[in-house]
Amino acid sequence: MSLPQSLDSVGAACAHILLTRDPAAKLMTARAVARGWRLGKLAHRFDAAMPDRPARPDKPELLPPNQMPKRGRIGSDRARIAMLHALAHIEFVAIDLAFDLIGRFGGEFPPEFTDEWMRVGADEAMHFALLDRRLRQLGSHYGALPAHDGLWQAAGETAHDALARLAIVPMVLEARALDITPATVARFEGVGDEVSARMLRRIMTDEIRHVSAGTTWFAHATKRLGLDPANHYQILVKRHFRGGLKPPFNDSARRQAGLTREFYSPLAQ
């Protein structure tokens, strides 16, 4: 897929991804934008406003988190599909989160910031493709079940502060995925679904890099402002994240990503 010639800047290309409704088209557009940046076809220019909300397909139906149906025990095909569908929705929204981060805040950072988050966005698109393909192998597809609409709230809450966005999205939400994915992998292994377990292990390896990108650029920005990274992280999490941070934590994976206990231990509930 090639990009329209009118999309010649990073900002315009990122806004185009967010305004693409169809999941398959969003996936292909995200890949094309990341490739266009890598090949030098997009100027490091941020001349397009990011939408308050991305365009969304008609399906899945989006529900408040407390209205989502229970998934049940993972031993059944129905429960495995529900779990994979929930993960696919997370990755679908993560595509928009990555490119919104670039388009909204990239001008505040050197081009290396765009380099890194373009790779993250391409990863999220690949993760979504893997999960949707697995759903289809199991007789379902993305959009077949409802999904919760809470993920984009973090983007709205942090739309005007790059440091808050980095603190909440990669350093809280994606870090939480590092905590819970090993147990999810074990559940799939326990019912003999090695295909799904192997896929989730691959995704988790990438997510460590994504959290690392968050901690790296958070440290870069706080140093520039003369702020203590761990202390400022705690201030921002208290201000912008509802619910608090709940153990257990995957300290090993978090440490690999540069997110050490001094950041999150004081916030544990």
Side-chain angles (χ1 to χ4, degrees):
M1 177 182 180
S2 58
L3 294 172
Q5 289 188 343
S6 59
L7 298 179
D8 62 351
S9 72
V10 170
C14 289
H16 184 64
I17 293 169
L18 268 71
L19 294 172
T20 300
R21 297 183 67 209
D22 177 74
K26 188 184 291 285
L27 164 67
M28 297 303 293
T29 303
R31 287 173 167 170
V33 168
R35 183 169 59 251
W37 168 254
R38 190 173 65 250
L39 296 176
K41 295 181 178 180
L42 296 174
H44 190 252
R45 195 171 69 246
F46 300 89
D47 50 0
M50 295 299 107
D52 291 336
R53 283 186 62 85
R56 288 284 177 251
D58 293 335
K59 295 291 183 178
E61 178 187 7
L62 298 179
L63 301 174
N66 61 2
Q67 292 183 21
M68 286 290 293
K70 301 295 184 183
R71 286 195 288 264
R73 298 178 65 84
I74 205 166
S76 69
D77 288 347
R78 176 178 172 274
R80 282 192 297 143
I81 287 170
M83 174 66 77
L84 291 168
H85 191 279
L87 295 172
H89 181 64
I90 290 170
E91 299 294 346
F92 183 69
V93 177
I95 298 170
D96 287 325
L97 286 170
F99 288 101
D100 183 77
L101 175 66
I102 298 168
R104 191 175 296 272
F105 301 115
E108 301 177 24
F109 294 89
E112 291 79 9
F113 178 89
T114 297
D115 287 341
E116 188 144 34
W117 290 103
M118 284 283 183
R119 289 192 291 270
V120 171
D123 283 348
E124 306 294 18
M126 181 265 288
H127 297 167
F128 173 73
L130 288 173
L131 287 158
D132 187 49
R133 183 174 68 189
R134 184 61 180 145
L135 285 168
R136 292 177 188 278
Q137 290 171 348
L138 295 172
S140 188
H141 62 277
Y142 178 65
L145 299 172
H148 77 73
D149 196 28
L151 291 171
W152 192 254
Q153 291 176 2
E157 177 69 26
T158 60
H160 304 293
D161 184 347
L163 278 170
R165 176 67 63 85
L166 291 168
I168 301 306
V169 176
M171 297 175 71
V172 171
L173 298 179
E174 291 204 75
R176 184 59 180 158
L178 303 184
D179 302 332
I180 64 177
T181 298
T184 306
V185 168
R187 291 168 71 188
F188 278 101
E189 290 176 332
V191 297
D193 188 350
E194 181 57 35
V195 173
S196 297
R198 185 167 58 249
M199 180 181 61
L200 295 180
R201 284 194 295 269
R202 175 182 177 178
I203 290 172
M204 181 172 165
T205 298
D206 292 338
E207 299 293 357
I208 292 174
R209 288 192 292 101
H210 300 177
V211 178
S212 178
T215 57
T216 297
W217 287 105
F218 188 84
H220 174 276
T222 50
K223 181 179 180 181
R224 186 180 63 200
L225 295 170
L227 300 170
D228 177 79
N231 181 66
H232 197 59
Y233 171 78
Q234 291 154 22
I235 291 170
L236 292 172
V237 172
K238 290 175 183 176
R239 183 180 300 162
H240 296 290
F241 186 70
R242 302 181 187 91
L245 306 188
K246 297 180 175 60
F249 301 112
N250 187 341
D251 293 326
S252 174
R254 285 168 172 254
R255 187 168 56 251
Q256 287 182 61
L259 187 60
T260 53
R261 289 185 59 85
E262 64 179 321
F263 281 85
Y264 57 87
S265 287
L267 299 170
Q269 294 187 351

